[in-house]
Amino acid sequence: DAKTTQPNSMESNEEEPVHLPCNHSTISGTDYIHWYRQLPSQGPEYVIHGLTSNVNNRMASLAIAEDRKSSTLILHRATLRDAAVYYCILSNSGYALNFGKGTSLLVTP
Amino acid sequence: DGGITQSPKYLFRKEGQNVTLSCEQNLNHDAMYWYRQDPGQGLRLIYYSQIVNDFQKGDIAEGYSVSREKKESFPLTVTSAQKNPTAFYLCASSTGTLARSYEQYFGPGTRLTVT
Protein backbone atom coordinates (compact mmCIF):
# COMPACT_ATOMS: atom_id res chain seq x y z
CA ASP A 1 0.00 0.00 0.00
CA ALA A 2 1.12 3.56 -0.72
CA LYS A 3 2.42 5.81 2.06
CA THR A 4 0.66 8.79 3.66
CA THR A 5 2.15 11.90 5.27
CA GLN A 6 0.35 13.78 8.04
CA PRO A 7 1.43 16.56 10.40
CA ASN A 8 2.41 15.26 13.83
CA SER A 9 0.03 17.56 15.65
CA MET A 10 -2.57 20.28 15.15
CA GLU A 11 -4.51 22.53 17.45
CA SER A 12 -8.00 23.92 17.13
CA ASN A 13 -10.40 26.01 19.14
CA GLU A 14 -13.64 24.49 20.28
CA GLU A 15 -16.60 25.07 17.94
CA GLU A 16 -14.27 26.01 15.07
CA PRO A 17 -13.93 23.91 11.89
CA VAL A 18 -10.83 21.72 11.65
CA HIS A 19 -9.08 20.70 8.45
CA LEU A 20 -6.73 17.75 8.85
CA PRO A 21 -4.47 17.29 5.81
CA CYS A 22 -3.03 14.10 4.37
CA ASN A 23 -0.59 13.76 1.49
CA HIS A 24 -0.44 10.56 -0.53
CA SER A 25 1.46 11.43 -3.68
CA THR A 26 2.05 7.77 -4.68
CA ILE A 27 -1.59 6.75 -4.43
CA SER A 28 -2.76 4.28 -7.05
CA GLY A 29 -6.03 4.42 -8.92
CA THR A 30 -7.59 1.69 -6.78
CA ASP A 31 -6.41 2.89 -3.35
CA TYR A 32 -9.21 3.86 -1.00
CA ILE A 33 -8.59 6.67 1.51
CA HIS A 34 -9.66 5.82 5.05
CA TRP A 35 -9.73 7.96 8.18
CA TYR A 36 -9.85 6.56 11.68
CA ARG A 37 -9.40 8.29 15.01
CA GLN A 38 -8.20 7.05 18.36
CA LEU A 39 -9.14 8.64 21.66
CA PRO A 40 -6.66 8.21 24.53
CA SER A 41 -6.42 4.63 25.80
CA GLN A 42 -9.16 3.41 23.46
CA GLY A 43 -9.32 1.42 20.24
CA PRO A 44 -9.48 3.30 16.94
CA GLU A 45 -12.85 4.35 15.58
CA TYR A 46 -13.84 4.55 11.91
CA VAL A 47 -14.52 8.09 10.71
CA ILE A 48 -14.97 8.04 6.94
CA HIS A 49 -13.55 6.65 3.71
CA GLY A 50 -13.70 7.40 0.00
CA LEU A 51 -12.18 6.67 -3.39
CA THR A 52 -12.53 9.67 -5.71
CA SER A 53 -15.51 11.80 -4.77
CA ASN A 54 -15.94 13.89 -1.66
CA VAL A 55 -17.83 12.10 1.09
CA ASN A 56 -19.96 13.30 3.98
CA ASN A 57 -21.31 11.51 7.01
CA ARG A 58 -22.55 12.45 10.45
CA MET A 59 -19.04 12.65 11.86
CA ALA A 60 -17.06 14.46 9.19
CA SER A 61 -16.45 15.28 5.54
CA LEU A 62 -13.68 13.97 3.33
CA ALA A 63 -12.41 16.23 0.58
CA ILE A 64 -10.27 14.48 -2.03
CA ALA A 65 -8.08 16.49 -4.40
CA GLU A 66 -8.79 16.11 -8.08
CA ASP A 67 -5.45 14.39 -8.69
CA ARG A 68 -6.03 12.28 -5.52
CA LYS A 69 -2.53 13.07 -4.25
CA SER A 70 -3.94 14.64 -1.11
CA SER A 71 -7.07 14.67 0.98
CA THR A 72 -8.50 16.61 3.90
CA LEU A 73 -10.64 15.43 6.76
CA ILE A 74 -13.01 18.19 7.84
CA LEU A 75 -14.59 18.33 11.28
CA HIS A 76 -17.22 21.01 10.89
CA ARG A 77 -17.37 22.10 14.49
CA ALA A 78 -14.72 20.74 16.83
CA THR A 79 -15.68 19.71 20.33
CA LEU A 80 -13.46 18.69 23.23
CA ARG A 81 -14.46 15.10 22.55
CA ASP A 82 -12.83 15.33 19.11
CA ALA A 83 -9.37 15.51 20.68
CA ALA A 84 -7.73 12.34 19.38
CA VAL A 85 -5.10 10.96 17.04
CA TYR A 86 -6.41 10.96 13.48
CA TYR A 87 -5.04 8.39 11.04
CA CYS A 88 -5.14 8.72 7.26
CA ILE A 89 -4.74 5.28 5.67
CA LEU A 90 -4.61 4.05 2.09
CA SER A 91 -5.91 0.60 1.35
CA ASN A 92 -5.98 -1.43 -1.82
CA SER A 93 -5.65 -5.16 -1.94
CA GLY A 94 -4.55 -5.87 1.60
CA TYR A 95 -6.60 -7.44 4.35
CA ALA A 96 -5.58 -5.12 7.16
CA LEU A 97 -5.09 -1.40 7.60
CA ASN A 98 -1.62 0.14 7.82
CA PHE A 99 -1.76 2.69 10.64
CA GLY A 100 1.05 5.24 10.76
CA LYS A 101 1.58 7.72 13.60
CA GLY A 102 -1.31 9.99 12.62
CA THR A 103 -2.04 13.58 13.62
CA SER A 104 -2.65 14.38 17.27
CA LEU A 105 -5.47 16.93 17.43
CA LEU A 106 -5.69 19.18 20.46
CA VAL A 107 -8.96 21.06 20.97
CA THR A 108 -8.91 23.99 23.36
CA PRO A 109 -11.96 25.61 24.94
CA ASP B 1 -25.49 -3.98 21.85
CA GLY B 2 -23.20 -5.46 19.24
CA GLY B 3 -19.50 -4.97 19.56
CA ILE B 4 -16.10 -6.35 20.40
CA THR B 5 -15.03 -7.20 23.91
CA GLN B 6 -11.48 -7.67 25.05
CA SER B 7 -10.51 -8.90 28.45
CA PRO B 8 -8.92 -8.09 30.70
CA LYS B 9 -8.32 -4.34 30.29
CA TYR B 10 -5.01 -4.55 32.16
CA LEU B 11 -2.81 -7.63 32.43
CA PHE B 12 0.44 -8.14 34.31
CA ARG B 13 2.75 -11.09 33.81
CA LYS B 14 6.22 -12.20 34.75
CA GLU B 15 8.81 -12.63 32.04
CA GLY B 16 8.90 -16.17 30.67
CA GLN B 17 5.19 -16.82 31.07
CA ASN B 18 2.77 -17.28 28.19
CA VAL B 19 -0.39 -15.21 28.38
CA THR B 20 -3.63 -15.36 26.36
CA LEU B 21 -5.65 -12.27 25.49
CA SER B 22 -9.33 -12.71 24.83
CA CYS B 23 -11.29 -11.18 21.93
CA GLU B 24 -14.97 -11.84 21.32
CA GLN B 25 -17.34 -10.22 18.80
CA ASN B 26 -21.09 -10.52 18.37
CA LEU B 27 -21.24 -8.61 15.10
CA ASN B 28 -21.31 -11.77 12.97
CA HIS B 29 -18.16 -10.57 11.21
CA ASP B 30 -16.07 -12.99 9.17
CA ALA B 31 -12.72 -11.24 9.51
CA MET B 32 -10.82 -10.60 12.75
CA TYR B 33 -7.47 -8.96 13.43
CA TRP B 34 -4.91 -8.44 16.15
CA TYR B 35 -2.80 -5.28 16.28
CA ARG B 36 -0.10 -4.14 18.65
CA GLN B 37 0.49 -0.50 19.61
CA ASP B 38 3.58 0.85 21.37
CA PRO B 39 3.61 4.27 23.07
CA GLY B 40 3.44 7.14 20.57
CA GLN B 41 3.31 4.75 17.63
CA GLY B 42 0.72 3.56 15.16
CA LEU B 43 -0.78 0.09 15.07
CA ARG B 44 1.07 -2.91 13.68
CA LEU B 45 -0.67 -6.05 12.48
CA ILE B 46 0.14 -9.29 14.29
CA TYR B 47 -2.32 -11.82 12.82
CA TYR B 48 -5.57 -11.79 10.91
CA SER B 49 -8.24 -14.35 10.13
CA GLN B 50 -10.66 -14.28 7.23
CA ILE B 51 -12.66 -17.34 8.24
CA VAL B 52 -12.96 -19.94 10.97
CA ASN B 53 -10.00 -22.32 11.22
CA ASP B 54 -7.84 -20.11 9.01
CA PHE B 55 -5.46 -17.30 9.88
CA GLN B 56 -2.43 -15.53 8.40
CA LYS B 57 0.63 -13.84 9.86
CA GLY B 58 0.83 -10.09 9.80
CA ASP B 59 3.92 -7.91 9.93
CA ILE B 60 5.07 -8.84 13.45
CA ALA B 61 3.82 -12.40 14.14
CA GLU B 62 7.01 -13.73 15.75
CA GLY B 63 6.42 -14.70 19.37
CA TYR B 64 2.63 -14.74 19.01
CA SER B 65 0.08 -17.44 18.22
CA VAL B 66 -3.67 -17.38 17.53
CA SER B 67 -6.59 -19.72 16.99
CA ARG B 68 -9.98 -19.27 15.32
CA GLU B 69 -12.16 -22.20 16.34
CA LYS B 70 -15.35 -20.12 16.46
CA LYS B 71 -16.49 -17.22 14.30
CA GLU B 72 -16.95 -14.94 17.28
CA SER B 73 -13.66 -15.64 19.05
CA PHE B 74 -10.03 -14.91 18.13
CA PRO B 75 -7.71 -15.31 21.16
CA LEU B 76 -4.08 -14.18 21.00
CA THR B 77 -1.32 -15.91 22.96
CA VAL B 78 1.80 -13.91 23.73
CA THR B 79 4.53 -16.49 24.20
CA SER B 80 7.77 -16.25 26.11
CA ALA B 81 9.53 -16.03 22.74
CA GLN B 82 8.18 -12.50 22.20
CA LYS B 83 11.12 -10.29 23.15
CA ASN B 84 9.23 -7.08 24.00
CA PRO B 85 5.66 -8.09 24.91
CA THR B 86 4.73 -5.00 26.93
CA ALA B 87 2.28 -3.09 24.71
CA PHE B 88 -1.35 -2.16 24.06
CA TYR B 89 -3.09 -4.95 22.16
CA LEU B 90 -6.11 -4.23 19.98
CA CYS B 91 -8.53 -6.67 18.40
CA ALA B 92 -10.69 -5.71 15.44
CA SER B 93 -13.26 -7.26 13.15
CA SER B 94 -14.89 -6.46 9.82
CA THR B 95 -17.68 -7.77 7.64
CA GLY B 96 -15.47 -8.50 4.68
CA THR B 97 -11.88 -9.32 4.20
CA LEU B 98 -10.75 -6.54 1.90
CA ALA B 99 -9.64 -3.64 4.07
CA ARG B 100 -10.34 -1.09 1.38
CA SER B 101 -14.05 -1.83 1.34
CA TYR B 102 -14.98 -2.60 4.89
CA GLU B 103 -14.97 -0.62 8.08
CA GLN B 104 -12.99 -2.20 10.89
CA TYR B 105 -14.49 -2.20 14.37
CA PHE B 106 -12.05 -2.17 17.27
CA GLY B 107 -12.28 -3.42 20.81
CA PRO B 108 -11.23 -1.34 23.83
CA GLY B 109 -7.79 -3.00 24.00
CA THR B 110 -5.75 -4.87 26.59
CA ARG B 111 -2.70 -3.23 28.11
CA LEU B 112 -0.14 -5.95 28.82
CA THR B 113 2.81 -5.32 31.12
CA VAL B 114 5.53 -7.94 31.45
CA THR B 115 8.19 -7.52 34.11
Side-chain angles (χ1 to χ4, degrees), chain A residues 6-35:
Chain A
Q6 299 177 253
N8 289 334
S9 63
M10 290 184 64
E11 192 169 335
S12 173
N13 294 321
E14 196 177 10
E15 299 187 8
E16 296 284 323
V18 182
H19 290 237
L20 296 160
C22 182
N23 287 321
H24 28 78
S25 58
T26 60
I27 191 170
S28 74
T30 52
D31 280 332
Y32 281 70
I33 302 162
H34 297 254
W35 283 84

mmCIF file of all heavy atoms in Angstrom, chain A residues 6-35:
data_model
loop_
_atom_site.group_PDB
_atom_site.id
_atom_site.type_symbol
_atom_site.label_atom_id
_atom_site.label_comp_id
_atom_site.label_asym_id
_atom_site.label_seq_id
_atom_site.Cartn_x
_atom_site.Cartn_y
_atom_site.Cartn_z
ATOM 1 N N GLN A 6 1.236 12.907 7.271
ATOM 2 C CA GLN A 6 0.352 13.779 8.040
ATOM 3 C C GLN A 6 1.195 14.613 9.005
ATOM 4 O O GLN A 6 2.249 14.162 9.457
ATOM 5 C CB GLN A 6 -0.632 12.951 8.876
ATOM 6 C CG GLN A 6 -1.554 12.055 8.110
ATOM 7 C CD GLN A 6 -2.434 11.244 9.068
ATOM 8 O OE1 GLN A 6 -2.248 10.043 9.243
ATOM 9 N NE2 GLN A 6 -3.398 11.923 9.679
ATOM 10 N N PRO A 7 0.711 15.802 9.366
ATOM 11 C CA PRO A 7 1.426 16.563 10.400
ATOM 12 C C PRO A 7 1.362 15.813 11.721
ATOM 13 O O PRO A 7 0.390 15.111 12.001
ATOM 14 C CB PRO A 7 0.660 17.890 10.471
ATOM 15 C CG PRO A 7 -0.645 17.631 9.813
ATOM 16 C CD PRO A 7 -0.443 16.522 8.838
ATOM 17 N N ASN A 8 2.397 15.960 12.537
ATOM 18 C CA ASN A 8 2.407 15.256 13.827
ATOM 19 C C ASN A 8 1.295 15.739 14.745
ATOM 20 O O ASN A 8 0.696 14.945 15.470
ATOM 21 C CB ASN A 8 3.750 15.471 14.527
ATOM 22 C CG ASN A 8 4.870 14.729 13.849
ATOM 23 O OD1 ASN A 8 4.653 13.721 13.200
ATOM 24 N ND2 ASN A 8 6.077 15.246 13.988
ATOM 25 N N SER A 9 1.032 17.025 14.734
ATOM 26 C CA SER A 9 0.027 17.564 15.650
ATOM 27 C C SER A 9 -0.626 18.804 15.056
ATOM 28 O O SER A 9 -0.051 19.478 14.202
ATOM 29 C CB SER A 9 0.668 17.890 17.004
ATOM 30 O OG SER A 9 1.643 18.894 16.858
ATOM 31 N N MET A 10 -1.843 19.079 15.512
ATOM 32 C CA MET A 10 -2.574 20.282 15.146
ATOM 33 C C MET A 10 -3.385 20.719 16.350
ATOM 34 O O MET A 10 -3.701 19.912 17.231
ATOM 35 C CB MET A 10 -3.505 20.020 13.950
ATOM 36 C CG MET A 10 -2.786 19.796 12.648
ATOM 37 S SD MET A 10 -3.902 19.613 11.256
ATOM 38 C CE MET A 10 -4.671 21.211 11.195
ATOM 39 N N GLU A 11 -3.722 21.994 16.352
ATOM 40 C CA GLU A 11 -4.511 22.533 17.455
ATOM 41 C C GLU A 11 -5.692 23.297 16.887
ATOM 42 O O GLU A 11 -5.591 23.933 15.831
ATOM 43 C CB GLU A 11 -3.632 23.463 18.294
ATOM 44 C CG GLU A 11 -4.238 23.858 19.620
ATOM 45 C CD GLU A 11 -3.246 24.551 20.541
ATOM 46 O OE1 GLU A 11 -2.025 24.331 20.393
ATOM 47 O OE2 GLU A 11 -3.702 25.307 21.408
ATOM 48 N N SER A 12 -6.810 23.218 17.579
ATOM 49 C CA SER A 12 -8.001 23.915 17.130
ATOM 50 C C SER A 12 -8.749 24.455 18.334
ATOM 51 O O SER A 12 -8.649 23.908 19.440
ATOM 52 C CB SER A 12 -8.898 22.962 16.352
ATOM 53 O OG SER A 12 -10.131 23.558 16.049
ATOM 54 N N ASN A 13 -9.517 25.515 18.101
ATOM 55 C CA ASN A 13 -10.404 26.013 19.141
ATOM 56 C C ASN A 13 -11.739 25.285 19.059
ATOM 57 O O ASN A 13 -12.201 24.905 17.972
ATOM 58 C CB ASN A 13 -10.621 27.522 18.985
ATOM 59 C CG ASN A 13 -9.349 28.300 19.217
ATOM 60 O OD1 ASN A 13 -8.557 27.974 20.097
ATOM 61 N ND2 ASN A 13 -9.129 29.324 18.403
ATOM 62 N N GLU A 14 -12.336 25.130 20.219
ATOM 63 C CA GLU A 14 -13.643 24.489 20.281
ATOM 64 C C GLU A 14 -14.650 25.265 19.442
ATOM 65 O O GLU A 14 -14.603 26.496 19.369
ATOM 66 C CB GLU A 14 -14.090 24.435 21.738
ATOM 67 C CG GLU A 14 -15.217 23.482 22.011
ATOM 68 C CD GLU A 14 -15.573 23.422 23.488
ATOM 69 O OE1 GLU A 14 -15.062 24.262 24.261
ATOM 70 O OE2 GLU A 14 -16.343 22.535 23.865
ATOM 71 N N GLU A 15 -15.531 24.527 18.765
ATOM 72 C CA GLU A 15 -16.603 25.073 17.935
ATOM 73 C C GLU A 15 -16.104 25.687 16.632
ATOM 74 O O GLU A 15 -16.898 26.238 15.869
ATOM 75 C CB GLU A 15 -17.448 26.073 18.719
ATOM 76 C CG GLU A 15 -18.131 25.448 19.934
ATOM 77 C CD GLU A 15 -19.096 26.377 20.619
ATOM 78 O OE1 GLU A 15 -19.362 27.463 20.079
ATOM 79 O OE2 GLU A 15 -19.596 26.007 21.690
ATOM 80 N N GLU A 16 -14.815 25.563 16.349
ATOM 81 C CA GLU A 16 -14.272 26.012 15.069
ATOM 82 C C GLU A 16 -14.151 24.807 14.132
ATOM 83 O O GLU A 16 -14.008 23.664 14.590
ATOM 84 C CB GLU A 16 -12.876 26.621 15.263
ATOM 85 C CG GLU A 16 -12.861 27.879 16.107
ATOM 86 C CD GLU A 16 -13.359 29.071 15.314
ATOM 87 O OE1 GLU A 16 -13.066 29.154 14.121
ATOM 88 O OE2 GLU A 16 -14.064 29.904 15.915
ATOM 89 N N PRO A 17 -14.168 25.018 12.811
ATOM 90 C CA PRO A 17 -13.926 23.908 11.892
ATOM 91 C C PRO A 17 -12.448 23.503 11.929
ATOM 92 O O PRO A 17 -11.584 24.336 12.192
ATOM 93 C CB PRO A 17 -14.316 24.469 10.525
ATOM 94 C CG PRO A 17 -14.215 25.950 10.679
ATOM 95 C CD PRO A 17 -14.510 26.265 12.106
ATOM 96 N N VAL A 18 -12.195 22.240 11.671
ATOM 97 C CA VAL A 18 -10.826 21.718 11.655
ATOM 98 C C VAL A 18 -10.584 21.016 10.318
ATOM 99 O O VAL A 18 -11.423 20.220 9.876
ATOM 100 C CB VAL A 18 -10.596 20.688 12.783
ATOM 101 C CG1 VAL A 18 -9.152 20.190 12.764
ATOM 102 C CG2 VAL A 18 -10.936 21.273 14.135
ATOM 103 N N HIS A 19 -9.462 21.336 9.717
ATOM 104 C CA HIS A 19 -9.082 20.699 8.454
ATOM 105 C C HIS A 19 -7.793 19.916 8.679
ATOM 106 O O HIS A 19 -6.728 20.495 8.879
ATOM 107 C CB HIS A 19 -8.872 21.772 7.373
ATOM 108 C CG HIS A 19 -10.130 22.436 6.941
ATOM 109 N ND1 HIS A 19 -10.541 22.453 5.631
ATOM 110 C CD2 HIS A 19 -11.081 23.097 7.641
ATOM 111 C CE1 HIS A 19 -11.702 23.104 5.539
ATOM 112 N NE2 HIS A 19 -12.040 23.499 6.746
ATOM 113 N N LEU A 20 -7.896 18.610 8.618
ATOM 114 C CA LEU A 20 -6.728 17.747 8.846
ATOM 115 C C LEU A 20 -6.206 17.268 7.494
ATOM 116 O O LEU A 20 -6.888 16.514 6.800
ATOM 117 C CB LEU A 20 -7.126 16.559 9.724
ATOM 118 C CG LEU A 20 -7.567 16.922 11.141
ATOM 119 C CD1 LEU A 20 -8.379 15.818 11.764
ATOM 120 C CD2 LEU A 20 -6.344 17.213 12.004
ATOM 121 N N PRO A 21 -4.976 17.650 7.136
ATOM 122 C CA PRO A 21 -4.470 17.285 5.806
ATOM 123 C C PRO A 21 -3.765 15.941 5.777
ATOM 124 O O PRO A 21 -3.240 15.471 6.799
ATOM 125 C CB PRO A 21 -3.467 18.412 5.519
ATOM 126 C CG PRO A 21 -2.925 18.751 6.873
ATOM 127 C CD PRO A 21 -4.063 18.538 7.850
ATOM 128 N N CYS A 22 -3.741 15.359 4.590
ATOM 129 C CA CYS A 22 -3.026 14.098 4.374
ATOM 130 C C CYS A 22 -2.486 14.097 2.945
ATOM 131 O O CYS A 22 -3.240 14.324 1.997
ATOM 132 C CB CYS A 22 -3.967 12.917 4.587
ATOM 133 S SG CYS A 22 -3.168 11.301 4.392
ATOM 134 N N ASN A 23 -1.191 13.875 2.816
ATOM 135 C CA ASN A 23 -0.587 13.762 1.494
ATOM 136 C C ASN A 23 -0.332 12.312 1.149
ATOM 137 O O ASN A 23 0.155 11.542 1.987
ATOM 138 C CB ASN A 23 0.736 14.535 1.448
ATOM 139 C CG ASN A 23 0.509 16.034 1.418
ATOM 140 O OD1 ASN A 23 -0.406 16.511 0.770
ATOM 141 N ND2 ASN A 23 1.331 16.775 2.128
ATOM 142 N N HIS A 24 -0.657 11.939 -0.053
ATOM 143 C CA HIS A 24 -0.437 10.562 -0.529
ATOM 144 C C HIS A 24 -0.105 10.636 -2.009
ATOM 145 O O HIS A 24 -0.906 10.232 -2.862
ATOM 146 C CB HIS A 24 -1.652 9.661 -0.246
ATOM 147 C CG HIS A 24 -2.968 10.362 -0.198
ATOM 148 N ND1 HIS A 24 -3.659 10.749 -1.320
ATOM 149 C CD2 HIS A 24 -3.719 10.746 0.867
ATOM 150 C CE1 HIS A 24 -4.791 11.319 -0.955
ATOM 151 N NE2 HIS A 24 -4.861 11.341 0.363
ATOM 152 N N SER A 25 1.075 11.146 -2.301
ATOM 153 C CA SER A 25 1.461 11.427 -3.684
ATOM 154 C C SER A 25 1.639 10.172 -4.532
ATOM 155 O O SER A 25 1.600 10.252 -5.758
ATOM 156 C CB SER A 25 2.752 12.257 -3.705
ATOM 157 O OG SER A 25 3.777 11.560 -3.021
ATOM 158 N N THR A 26 1.845 9.013 -3.901
ATOM 159 C CA THR A 26 2.047 7.770 -4.682
ATOM 160 C C THR A 26 0.790 6.912 -4.725
ATOM 161 O O THR A 26 0.863 5.725 -5.028
ATOM 162 C CB THR A 26 3.214 6.957 -4.108
ATOM 163 O OG1 THR A 26 2.920 6.617 -2.740
ATOM 164 C CG2 THR A 26 4.518 7.734 -4.172
ATOM 165 N N ILE A 27 -0.332 7.496 -4.454
ATOM 166 C CA ILE A 27 -1.592 6.750 -4.433
ATOM 167 C C ILE A 27 -1.867 6.135 -5.801
ATOM 168 O O ILE A 27 -1.587 6.729 -6.840
ATOM 169 C CB ILE A 27 -2.751 7.672 -3.994
ATOM 170 C CG1 ILE A 27 -4.013 6.868 -3.697
ATOM 171 C CG2 ILE A 27 -2.997 8.764 -5.036
ATOM 172 C CD1 ILE A 27 -5.118 7.695 -3.040
ATOM 173 N N SER A 28 -2.402 4.923 -5.796
ATOM 174 C CA SER A 28 -2.758 4.277 -7.055
ATOM 175 C C SER A 28 -4.244 4.496 -7.323
ATOM 176 O O SER A 28 -4.996 4.909 -6.449
ATOM 177 C CB SER A 28 -2.457 2.775 -6.986
ATOM 178 O OG SER A 28 -3.421 2.120 -6.179
ATOM 179 N N GLY A 29 -4.660 4.170 -8.527
ATOM 180 C CA GLY A 29 -6.032 4.419 -8.916
ATOM 181 C C GLY A 29 -7.067 3.633 -8.127
ATOM 182 O O GLY A 29 -8.235 4.021 -8.042
ATOM 183 N N THR A 30 -6.646 2.541 -7.513
ATOM 184 C CA THR A 30 -7.594 1.694 -6.776
ATOM 185 C C THR A 30 -7.422 1.790 -5.264
ATOM 186 O O THR A 30 -8.068 1.045 -4.526
ATOM 187 C CB THR A 30 -7.443 0.229 -7.200
ATOM 188 O OG1 THR A 30 -6.061 -0.137 -7.095
ATOM 189 C CG2 THR A 30 -7.898 0.032 -8.640
ATOM 190 N N ASP A 31 -6.572 2.690 -4.800
ATOM 191 C CA ASP A 31 -6.411 2.889 -3.351
ATOM 192 C C ASP A 31 -7.596 3.662 -2.787
ATOM 193 O O ASP A 31 -7.931 4.740 -3.288
ATOM 194 C CB ASP A 31 -5.138 3.688 -3.042
ATOM 195 C CG ASP A 31 -3.882 2.850 -3.069
ATOM 196 O OD1 ASP A 31 -3.968 1.633 -2.796
ATOM 197 O OD2 ASP A 31 -2.798 3.405 -3.353
ATOM 198 N N TYR A 32 -8.205 3.120 -1.748
ATOM 199 C CA TYR A 32 -9.211 3.859 -0.999
ATOM 200 C C TYR A 32 -8.509 4.687 0.088
ATOM 201 O O TYR A 32 -7.468 4.287 0.598
ATOM 202 C CB TYR A 32 -10.189 2.904 -0.319
ATOM 203 C CG TYR A 32 -11.247 2.354 -1.232
ATOM 204 C CD1 TYR A 32 -10.927 1.449 -2.233
ATOM 205 C CD2 TYR A 32 -12.575 2.738 -1.086
ATOM 206 C CE1 TYR A 32 -11.903 0.942 -3.068
ATOM 207 C CE2 TYR A 32 -13.564 2.224 -1.914
ATOM 208 C CZ TYR A 32 -13.216 1.336 -2.911
ATOM 209 O OH TYR A 32 -14.182 0.839 -3.741
ATOM 210 N N ILE A 33 -9.111 5.809 0.446
ATOM 211 C CA ILE A 33 -8.587 6.670 1.511
ATOM 212 C C ILE A 33 -9.500 6.505 2.725
ATOM 213 O O ILE A 33 -10.709 6.750 2.651
ATOM 214 C CB ILE A 33 -8.584 8.153 1.076
ATOM 215 C CG1 ILE A 33 -7.751 8.316 -0.192
ATOM 216 C CG2 ILE A 33 -8.045 9.029 2.202
ATOM 217 C CD1 ILE A 33 -8.036 9.610 -0.939
ATOM 218 N N HIS A 34 -8.909 6.036 3.820
ATOM 219 C CA HIS A 34 -9.658 5.824 5.051
ATOM 220 C C HIS A 34 -9.180 6.794 6.116
ATOM 221 O O HIS A 34 -7.992 7.087 6.207
ATOM 222 C CB HIS A 34 -9.417 4.408 5.594
ATOM 223 C CG HIS A 34 -9.883 3.314 4.703
ATOM 224 N ND1 HIS A 34 -11.008 2.570 4.975
ATOM 225 C CD2 HIS A 34 -9.380 2.827 3.555
ATOM 226 C CE1 HIS A 34 -11.172 1.663 4.029
ATOM 227 N NE2 HIS A 34 -10.197 1.797 3.152
ATOM 228 N N TRP A 35 -10.088 7.198 6.990
ATOM 229 C CA TRP A 35 -9.727 7.959 8.176
ATOM 230 C C TRP A 35 -10.311 7.263 9.410
ATOM 231 O O TRP A 35 -11.495 6.902 9.434
ATOM 232 C CB TRP A 35 -10.261 9.389 8.105
ATOM 233 C CG TRP A 35 -9.465 10.281 7.203
ATOM 234 C CD1 TRP A 35 -9.591 10.405 5.844
ATOM 235 C CD2 TRP A 35 -8.427 11.195 7.583
ATOM 236 N NE1 TRP A 35 -8.689 11.330 5.366
ATOM 237 C CE2 TRP A 35 -7.966 11.829 6.409
ATOM 238 C CE3 TRP A 35 -7.835 11.538 8.803
ATOM 239 C CZ2 TRP A 35 -6.953 12.781 6.414
ATOM 240 C CZ3 TRP A 35 -6.831 12.490 8.817
ATOM 241 C CH2 TRP A 35 -6.394 13.094 7.633
#
